[in-house]
C-alpha cells in the first residue's frame, strides 16, 4: 500500500473528509453509549440538548469555552512557531494566583483600572513561567516538551502549598481555597441576570488579535517562518532565538488569561480544581483548529459543548462523563486522519 | 541495428508507463539492452530517468508495460527479484553502512544465518579477486565511514559484482569524483563490459556519455525522444535532443578585476560533525571577478560557504570586508554588508516550502522600511516586490500567492536569484547554484552571475562540477581537506591538473614555498 499526494484536493475532498470525521465521531459516541448500556440516540439527544438546548445550556457552553479559547490560542501561537508548549495548565494557574493576589484587596483601585492591571500582571506571570523552559531550550537545547509538561505538576503542588498555607482563606472553614476577590476585581456579567461574563467576549477579541498578529505583523511573519523552517529562517538572518522568546511570552500570557478570566469571571477565588485540565484540552482545541486562531474559537465551542452536554446527559441517565474525554480525543484522531486522507490517495502496489 | 542485433538481449523494456497523478513520469518507454553493451540514459532532471530505473529495480511498479530480464518476465514491485536476476545498481546517494567494514558491507544480506570461518575466508578471497580483476582498489577491513567518496563508490560496485550482477546501473556516478577517479571508473567499466557485463549509465554530462557509451537514449518529459549510436552523433546533437531546442552557448567576455571586496588570511575553523573545517585558508574575492572553488564534495566547501554567508566565524586568522576587519558576523550582518547568498540547498535553506512566493521573496528584507513599518507588514509592497522579481527573473508560476513548494527547482532558484540580486550585492556567494536544474535554467543562472560580475560584483562560485567552474571562473582555487590551493588563472589549468589538487596533492609543496 502506498500514499500518493493529491496535487489539488478540491472542495469535495477538503470538505468531505472533515465532514466524515464528524460523522465518525458521532458514530463513535453512539457506540460508547451502547457499551455503557444506554440508548445511543437518547445519549446523543441529551448531549446536544445539554450543550445547546436552552438559553442556560448555551451560556454554560460559552462560559466553558472561554478558558479553552485562551489556552487554545496559547497552544496555537506556540505550536505555529514549533515551540511545543504543553504547559498551558501551569501558566493558567500562574495567572490565577496573580489575579487572587491583586484582587483580594491588595490593590485598592476602581474596577476599570483594577481589572486591566490584574489581567496585565496575570499575563506577565504566565509569560514568565514559559520563559524558563524557552530559555533552557535556546541556551542548552533542553526539550521544552519535558520541561513545560513537568512544570504543570510543580505549579499544581505550588498552588496546593499556597492554598494550605499563605493564601488560605481564614474564613474558609479549613477548605484549601483562597479568599474571595473583592467586587472591583470581578469581571462583570455581560447582561444582568445571565451567568455569561465578559471573559467570553475578551476571549473572542484575543482570538481576533492573535489572528491579526499572525497575518498582519512583522512578528507574525517571523513566527510563522521560524515554525515552518527554522534552518531557512536562521540562514535568511531572522533572529530565531529572540522570535522564540517573544512567542513564548505571548503564549504564556494567553494561557494565564484563562486563569485570570476563570477566577475573575466565574469562580471568584482560587481552588485546586480551578482547571479540570483546560491547559491540556487547549492542545486538542488548537490542533482541531489546525492552529488557526479564528478556528480555535469554533473548536473551543465544540469541545466545551461536548463537555457541558456530557455533564448534563450524565446527570439524566447515568452514562459516565468520561464519554466527553473519549469523544474529544476521538474527534481529534478522526480529524487528523481525515485531513491526511484529504491530501493523499491510497494506492495498492 | 546491425551489431547489437547479434548480441543477446539481456533486458527488454516494453511500453513502460508510470503516472504520478496528472504527471506522466514515463510514457510508453521501450528499449533493449544487449550483452556487453553500455547504453547511456541522457536527460535533464525530471525527464524520468530515475523513475524508469526505480521501476526496473522494483521500487515502483509500472502502470503499463513489462520488463523482461534474460528472457524471463520480471514480477513488478519486487526489489529482490531484480537483484536475484542479476541487476546491480549504484545509486547517486550510496546505500552503505558507515559503521561496518568494506567486507561486511559487501556481504551484508548475502550470508546465511550461520556461517563457518571457511565461508568467510572464501568470501574474502572472492572480494579480493574481484577488486584485483576490475581495478577496484579498496581495503576489505577498512570502515566505510573512513573512506573517501571515490572509495565508497568502488565498494558499491564491488557489492554488485559480488552478487553476480550481469547488468550494472550507475546513476550519475561521476558527480562525486575527481577527473582521475572518473577515468578509473571508466577503466573498470571497460573491464566489466569486456567480460560480458551490460551497463546503463545515467548522466547529463555529454562528454562522459560520448566517452563511454555505445548507444545513447535521450529522455525528455518522460518520453524516449531519441536513440542514437554514439559513434554517429556529437555533443551538440545530444544537447539539442535533450533540451528539445537549440542550446545557447555561454559567452564569457574577459573582464578586468577590481579591488578586493572580501579577504581571508590564514583562516581556520573547527570541524563540526560531518563538515570539514578550514585549515589556514587565504582567499581574495575581487570586484568584477568570478572566483571558482573546485573540489570533491565534503572537503570544506560547506564551511567556507558558511563563513562567507555569515553562519560561521574564523577561529583563527583574519577576515575583512574591503579592508575593514570583520568583528561580529552573522547572516543578518552578511546581508547588510551586501553579500548575496545562494545556498547549496534551495529547498531546505533557501526557501520555506509552505510560504508563498511573496513571503519567500522578502525573507532577507522583510525588516526594510518598505515592507515593514512599526511592526506592521505592508503586504501590498511585498507582493509588488515579488511581482517585480517574477517578471524580471522570468519565474514561471501561477502568481505571487503560490506556495513555493509547487515550483520547479529552476523557478525556485530564479526567485532566490531575484531576492538576493535585487539588493545590488557587492559580493555573491553562489554555492552549487545550478545543481539539479535543467539546461535552460542553468544557462540563465550562469548568465545572471556573469552579468553581476560585469557590473562589478565579486562572485565566489562553489561547485562540484569541474566543467562549470572552469567555464565560468576567472580564477580557480581547489579545496581539499579544508586546505585551499593557490589561485589559477583562467586557461592556466587543465581538468587533469586541477584533479591532482582535488585528490589532495601539491598542498605540502605549496605550503613550503609560502
Amino acid at each position: 500500500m502506498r500514499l500518493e499526494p493529491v496535487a489539488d484536493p478540491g472542495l469535495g475532498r477538503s470538505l468531505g473528509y472533515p465532514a466524515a470525521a464528524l460523522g465518525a465521531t458521532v458514530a463513535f459516541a453512539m457506540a460508547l453509549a451502547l457499551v455503557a448500556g444506554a440508548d445511543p440516540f437518547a445519549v446523543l439527544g441529551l448531549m446536544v440538548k445539554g450543550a445547546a438546548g436552552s438559553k442556560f445550556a448555551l451560556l454554560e457552553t460559552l462560559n466553558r469555552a472561554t478558558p479553552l479559547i485562551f489556552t487554545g490560542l496559547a497552544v496555537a501561537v506556540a505550536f505555529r512557531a514549533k515551540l511545543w508548549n504543553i504547559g498551558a495548565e501551569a501558566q493558567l494557574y500562574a495567572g490565577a494566583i496573580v489575579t487572587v493576589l491583586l484582587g483580594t484587596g491588595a490593590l485598592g483601585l476602581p474596577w476599570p483600572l483594577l481589572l486591566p492591571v490584574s489581567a496585565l500582571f496575570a499575563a506577565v506571570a504566565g509569560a514568565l513561567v514559559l520563559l524558563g523552559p524557552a530559555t533552557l531550550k535556546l541556551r542548552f537545547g533542553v526539550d521544552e516538551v519535558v520541561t513545560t509538561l513537568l512544570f504543570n505538576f510543580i505549579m499544581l503542588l505550588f498552588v496546593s502549598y499556597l492554598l494550605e498555607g499563605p493564601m488560605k482563606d481564614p474564613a474558609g472553614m479549613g477548605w484549601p481555597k483562597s479568599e474571595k476577590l473583592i467586587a472591583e476585581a470581578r469581571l462583570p456579567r455581560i447582561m444582568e441576570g445571565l451567568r455569561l461574563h465578559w471573559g467570553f467576549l475578551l476571549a473572542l477579541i484575543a482570538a481576533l488579535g492573535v489572528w491579526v498578529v499572525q497575518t498582519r505583523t512583522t512578528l507574525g511573519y517571523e513566527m510563522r517562518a521560524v515554525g515552518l523552517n527554522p534552518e531557512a529562517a536562521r540562514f535568511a538572518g531572522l533572529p530565531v532565538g529572540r522570535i522564540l522568546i517573544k512567542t513564548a511570552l505571548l503564549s504564556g500570557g494567553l494561557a494565564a488569561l484563562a486563569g485570570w478570566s476563570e477566577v475573575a469571571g466565574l469562580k471568584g477565588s482560587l481552588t485546586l480544581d480551578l482547571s479540570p485540565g483546560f491547559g491540556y484540552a487547549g492542545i486538542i482545541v488548537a490542533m482541531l483548529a489546525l492552529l488557526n486562531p479564528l478556528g480555535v474559537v469554533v473548536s473551543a465551542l465544540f469541545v466545551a459543548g461536548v463537555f457541558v452536554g456530557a455533564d448534563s446527559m450524565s446527570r439524566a441517565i447515568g452514562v459516565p462523563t468520561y464519554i466527553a474525554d473519549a469523544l474529544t480525543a476521538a474527534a481529534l484522531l478522526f480529524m487528523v486522519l481525515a485531513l491526511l486522507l484529504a491530501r493523499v490517495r491510497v494506492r495498492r502496489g | 541495428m546491425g551489431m547489437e542485433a547479434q548480441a543477446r538481449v539481456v533486458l527488454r523494456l516494453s511500453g513502460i508507463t508510470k503516472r504520478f497523478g496528472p504527471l506522466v513520469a514515463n510514457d510508453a518507454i521501450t528499449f533493449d539492452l544487449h550483452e556487453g553493451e553500455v547504453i547511456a540514459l541522457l536527460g535533464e532532471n525530471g525527464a524520468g530517468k530515475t523513475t524508469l530505473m526505480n521501476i526496473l529495480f522494483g521500487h515502483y511498479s509500472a502502470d503499463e508495460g513489462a520488463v523482461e530480464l534474460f528472457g524471463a518476465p520480471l514480477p513488478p514491485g519486487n526489489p529482490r527479484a531484480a537483484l536475484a536476476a542479476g541487476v546491480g545498481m549504484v545509486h547517486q546517494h550510496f546505500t552503505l553502512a558507515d559503521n561496518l567494514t568494506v567486507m561486511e558491507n559487501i556481504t551484508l544480506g548475502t550470508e546465511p544465518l550461520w556461517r563457518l570461518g571457511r565461508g568467510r575466508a572464501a568470501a574474502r578471497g572472492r572480494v579480493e579477486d574481484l577488486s584485483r580483476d576490475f581495478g577496484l582498489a579498496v581495503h576489505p577491513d577498512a570502515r566505510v565511514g573512513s573512506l573517501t567518496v571515490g572509495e565508497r563508490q568502488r565498494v558499491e560496485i564491488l557489492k554488485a559484482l559480488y552478487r553476480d550482477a550481469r547488468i550494472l546501473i550507475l546513476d550519475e556516478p561521476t558527480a562525486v569524483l575527481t577527473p582521475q577517479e572518473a577515468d578509473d571508473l571508466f577503466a573498470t567499466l571497460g573491464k566489466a563490459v569486456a567480460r560480458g557485463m551490460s551497463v546503463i549509465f545515467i548522466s547529463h554530462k555529454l562528454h562522459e556519455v560520448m566517452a563511454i557509451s555505445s548507444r545513447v537514449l535521450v529522455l525528455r518529459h518522460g518520453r524516449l525522444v531519441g536513440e542514437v549510436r554514439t559513434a554517429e552523433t556529437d555533443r551538440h546533437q545530444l544537447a539539442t535532443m535533450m533540451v528539445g531546442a537549440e542550446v545557447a552557448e555561454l559567452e564569457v567576455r574577459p573582464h578586468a578585476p577590481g579591488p578586493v571586496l572580501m579577504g581571508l588570511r590564514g583562516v581556520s575553523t573547527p570541524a563540526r560533525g560531518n563538515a570539514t573545517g578550514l585549515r589556514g585558508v587565504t582567499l581574495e574575492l575581487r570586484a568584477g571577478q568570478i572566483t571558482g572553488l573546485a573540489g570533491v564534495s565534503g572537503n570544506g566547501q560547506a564551511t567556507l560557504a558558511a563563513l562567507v554567508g555569515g553562519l560561521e566565524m574564523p577561529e583563527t586568522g583574519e577576515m575583512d570586508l574591503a579592508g575593514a576587519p570583520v568583528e561580529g558576523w552573522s547572516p543578518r550582518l552578511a546581508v547588510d554588508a551586501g553579500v548575496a547568498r545562494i545556498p547549496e540547498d534551495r529547498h531546505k535553506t533557501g526557501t520555506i516550502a509552505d510560504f508563498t512566493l511573496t513571503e519567500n521573496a522578502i525573507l532577507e528584507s522583510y525588516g526594510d522600511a518598505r515592507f515593514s513599518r512599526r511592526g506592521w507588514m505592508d503586504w501590498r509592497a511585498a507582493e509588488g516586490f515579488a511581482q517585480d522579481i517574477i517578471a524580471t527573473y522570468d519565474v514561471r508560476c501561477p502568481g505571487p500567492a503560490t506556495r513555493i513548494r509547487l515550483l520547479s527547482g529552476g523557478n525556485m532558484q530564479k526567485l532566490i536569484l531575484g531576492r538576493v540580486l535585487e539588493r545590488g550585492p557587492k559580493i555573491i556567494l553562489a554555492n552549487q547554484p545550478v545543481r539539479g536544474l535543467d539546461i535552460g535554467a542553468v544557462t540563465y543562472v550562469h548568465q545572471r552571475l556573469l552579468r553581476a560580475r560585469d557590473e562589478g560584483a565579486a562572485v565566489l562560485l562553489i561547485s562540484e562540477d569541474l566543467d562549470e567552474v572552469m567555464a565560468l571562473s576567472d580564477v580557480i582555487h581547489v579545496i581539499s581537506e579544508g586546505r585551499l590551493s593557490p589561485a589559477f588563472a583562467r586557461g592556466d589549468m587543465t581538468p587533469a591538473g586541477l584533479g591532482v589538487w582535488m585528490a589532495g596533492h601539491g598542498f605540502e609543496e605549496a605550503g613550503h614555498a609560502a
Side-chain angles (χ1 to χ4, degrees):
Chain A
M1 219 172 69
R2 247 177 239 284
L3 298 178
E4 284 183 359
V6 177
D8 176 24
L11 202 64
R13 288 185 85 86
S14 43
L15 286 182
Y17 276 95
L22 205 61
T25 309
V26 170
F28 180 72
M30 293 168 71
L32 281 182
L34 266 180
V35 171
D39 173 8
F41 289 98
V43 167
L44 218 58
L46 283 168
M47 282 184 68
V48 172
K49 205 169 145 217
S54 64
K55 198 157 118 188
F56 175 81
L58 203 59
L59 294 179
E60 195 57 28
T61 299
L62 297 186
N63 262 342
R64 184 72 76 98
T66 303
L68 289 176
I69 294 174
F70 280 121
T71 55
L73 288 173
V75 172
V77 162
F79 280 21
R80 181 64 85 194
K82 295 246 164 68
L83 178 72
W84 307 112
N85 176 16
I86 316 292
E89 193 81 359
Q91 295 134 29
L92 178 153
Y93 274 108
I97 293 169
V98 168
T99 310
V100 171
L101 285 177
L102 297 180
T104 46
L107 270 186
L109 295 172
W111 72 263
L113 278 177
L114 183 53
L115 273 170
V117 167
S118 75
L120 180 70
F121 278 89
V124 168
L128 290 178
V129 167
L130 189 50
L131 187 60
T135 313
L136 284 175
K137 173 194 168 86
L138 288 172
R139 293 291 289 276
F140 305 110
V142 182
D143 191 340
E144 75 276 19
V145 172
V146 176
T147 48
T148 55
L149 178 65
L150 293 182
F151 237 108
N152 291 338
F153 301 101
I154 297 173
M155 187 56 85
L156 210 57
L157 290 167
F158 180 61
V159 170
S160 172
Y161 155 75
L162 288 177
L163 295 182
E164 294 289 356
M167 282 177 72
K168 189 168 185 170
D169 183 3
M173 318 233 280
W175 289 101
K177 64 188 283 289
S178 76
E179 281 183 58
K180 282 212 161 299
L181 296 192
I182 56 177
E184 288 84 356
R186 297 288 308 252
L187 271 168
R189 300 274 167 89
I190 287 176
M191 254 201 281
E192 209 46 54
L194 295 182
R195 232 169 86 85
L196 188 66
H197 60 88
W198 275 97
F200 179 70
L201 278 183
L202 291 175
L204 294 186
I205 293 168
L208 202 63
V210 169
W211 180 78
V212 168
V213 166
Q214 284 192 337
T215 56
R216 296 274 180 273
T217 70
T218 314
L219 177 62
Y221 172 77
E222 291 175 323
M223 291 195 301
R224 287 185 294 126
V226 169
L228 286 172
N229 187 339
E231 191 185 329
R234 182 166 289 125
F235 179 82
L238 273 72
V240 173
R242 229 184 307 156
I243 293 164
L244 280 176
I245 292 291
K246 286 182 192 169
T247 306
L249 295 177
L250 183 57
S251 171
L254 283 164
L257 286 180
W260 171 79
S261 90
E262 279 299 277
V263 170
L266 209 60
K267 302 287 173 61
S269 65
L270 176 59
T271 55
L272 258 184
D273 60 357
L274 177 74
S275 159
F278 288 138
Y280 300 105
I283 298 171
I284 295 184
V285 167
M287 303 279 287
L288 270 178
L290 304 179
L291 308 186
N292 179 324
L294 300 180
V296 160
V297 173
V298 178
S299 70
L301 286 171
F302 168 75
V303 171
V306 169
F307 274 93
V308 171
D311 278 347
S312 150
M313 176 276 302
S314 176
R315 281 194 296 274
I317 54 173
V319 172
T321 55
Y322 294 120
I323 195 171
D325 291 296
L327 261 187
T328 47
L332 180 61
L333 291 176
F334 287 136
M335 197 57 86
V336 168
L337 187 65
L339 292 170
L340 171 72
L341 290 178
R343 281 184 288 118
V344 298
R345 192 170 278 132
V346 182
R347 283 189 149 222
R348 264 166 213 269
Chain B
M1 307 201 166
M3 205 182 78
E4 288 91 346
Q6 284 140 34
R8 190 159 72 104
V9 172
V10 291
L11 167 70
R12 171 165 288 161
L13 298 181
S14 28
I16 296 288
T17 297
K18 177 70 182 174
R19 299 183 194 87
F20 295 103
L23 178 81
V24 186
N26 288 154
D27 191 355
I29 291 180
T30 300
F31 69 84
D32 290 346
L33 174 68
H34 303 86
E35 191 161 37
E37 183 189 28
V38 179
I39 60 175
L41 205 53
L42 186 67
E44 302 206 67
N45 283 281
K49 295 170 294 183
T50 306
T51 305
L52 190 62
M53 290 307 112
N54 276 325
I55 289 170
L56 170 55
F57 222 65
H59 294 308
Y60 294 147
S61 53
D63 296 327
E64 286 158 38
V67 180
E68 225 173 79
L69 270 173
F70 306 104
L74 182 77
N78 181 358
R80 287 200 160 265
L83 267 176
V87 182
M89 180 149 184
V90 178
H91 291 272
Q92 224 170 335
H93 305 283
F94 302 143
T95 52
L96 299 171
D98 279 359
N99 53 341
L100 299 182
T101 65
V102 169
M103 260 313 282
E104 287 165 336
N105 264 290
I106 291 172
T107 55
L108 197 66
T110 62
E111 47 208 347
L113 275 179
W114 51 274
R115 171 175 68 156
L116 298 172
R118 254 185 48 200
R120 205 172 297 179
R124 194 189 167 88
R126 247 194 95 205
V127 169
E128 280 167 353
D129 288 348
L130 288 171
S131 130
R132 195 180 46 245
D133 292 352
F134 290 92
L136 293 161
V138 56
H139 197 287
D141 295 323
R143 279 195 194 285
V144 163
S146 68
L147 299 182
T148 67
V149 184
E151 287 169 325
R152 287 178 207 214
Q153 188 178 66
R154 281 176 232 156
V155 178
E156 284 280 18
I157 297 172
L158 274 175
K159 203 163 95 180
L161 294 174
Y162 183 81
R163 287 160 202 230
D164 296 319
R166 310 283 306 131
I167 299 174
L168 195 60
I169 304 170
L170 299 140
D171 189 2
E172 302 272 357
T174 60
V176 294
L177 302 180
T178 65
Q180 280 82 359
E181 283 175 323
D183 289 342
D184 292 346
L185 171 68
F186 293 159
T188 296
L189 292 182
K191 286 178 188 151
V193 167
R195 289 162 199 236
M197 172 87 84
S198 311
V199 176
I200 300 180
F201 187 90
I202 303 175
S203 182
H204 66 262
K205 291 192 187 169
L206 299 169
H207 63 92
E208 289 177 354
V209 166
M210 293 299 296
I212 189 159
S213 67
S214 48
R215 234 171 0 126
V216 185
L217 305 177
V218 184
L219 282 184
R220 192 170 74 228
H221 302 315
R223 302 172 69 162
L224 195 58
V225 293
E227 181 174 355
V228 285
R229 296 182 48 131
T230 313
E232 292 161 7
T233 186
D234 58 36
R235 287 166 67 158
H236 184 77
Q237 191 199 356
L238 288 178
T240 310
M241 266 202 276
M242 182 159 86
V243 183
E246 284 288 316
V247 182
E249 288 287 323
L250 203 61
E251 191 194 344
V252 185
R253 283 180 301 276
H255 193 265
V260 177
L261 295 186
M262 181 185 270
L264 302 176
R265 262 181 313 284
V267 168
S268 296
T269 62
R272 282 187 215 288
N274 287 329
T276 311
L278 299 178
R279 290 154 62 190
V281 164
T282 296
L283 176 68
E284 286 182 338
L285 301 181
R286 287 179 177 275
Q289 176 174 286
I290 296 184
T291 306
L293 192 68
V296 177
S297 81
N299 273 289
Q301 291 96 327
T303 312
L304 185 59
L307 194 70
V308 175
L311 291 107
E312 178 94 43
M313 279 286 281
E315 190 181 48
T316 57
E318 287 158 39
M319 179 173 180
D320 66 64
L321 280 170
V326 170
E327 305 286 348
W329 196 230
S330 70
R332 183 76 257 155
L333 291 170
V335 171
D336 292 343
V339 182
R341 301 158 316 143
I342 301 165
E344 180 176 8
D345 189 335
R346 67 186 78 93
H347 299 272
K348 265 158 75 184
T349 354
T351 58
I352 295 179
D354 281 316
F355 262 11
T356 63
L357 265 70
T358 301
E359 288 167 325
N360 273 297
I362 59 168
L363 207 50
E364 288 184 348
S365 53
Y366 71 92
D368 291 3
R370 55 186 167 150
F371 301 133
S372 157
R373 268 181 299 277
R374 296 211 185 102
W376 293 88
M377 295 300 296
D378 184 346
W379 284 116
R380 188 172 299 184
E383 195 181 304
F385 178 64
Q387 291 278 24
D388 286 349
I389 291 180
I390 290 168
T392 315
Y393 292 82
D394 188 30
V395 183
R396 309 273 167 82
C397 65
T402 313
R403 281 189 296 162
I404 204 160
R405 69 156 68 244
L406 299 172
L407 263 56
S408 71
N411 285 312
M412 219 179 257
Q413 195 72 321
K414 287 177 182 175
L415 186 92
I416 294 176
L417 268 182
R419 176 171 89 197
V420 298
L421 294 185
E422 282 300 288
R423 293 176 75 89
K426 297 193 190 77
I427 299 164
I428 298 172
L429 164 68
N431 193 357
Q432 317 289 353
V434 299
R435 181 192 276 168
L437 302 188
D438 56 35
I439 290 191
V442 167
T443 311
Y444 185 86
V445 171
H446 285 163
Q447 281 166 348
R448 278 285 173 181
L449 291 177
L450 282 170
R451 192 196 295 181
R453 176 200 77 158
D454 293 346
E455 288 165 5
V459 181
L460 175 61
L461 170 68
I462 302 179
S463 175
E464 284 152 24
D465 186 343
L466 195 53
D467 300 339
E468 182 189 6
V469 173
M470 295 190 65
L472 257 70
S473 309
D474 300 303
V475 293
I476 298 175
H477 290 272
V478 178
I479 191 165
S480 172
E481 292 171 22
R483 299 164 303 181
L484 211 61
S485 76
F488 304 112
R490 169 188 292 280
D492 274 6
M493 264 293 168
T494 59
L498 291 172
V500 171
W501 287 87
M502 285 165 74
H505 304 297
F507 289 90
E508 274 70 27
E509 293 81 350
H512 287 305

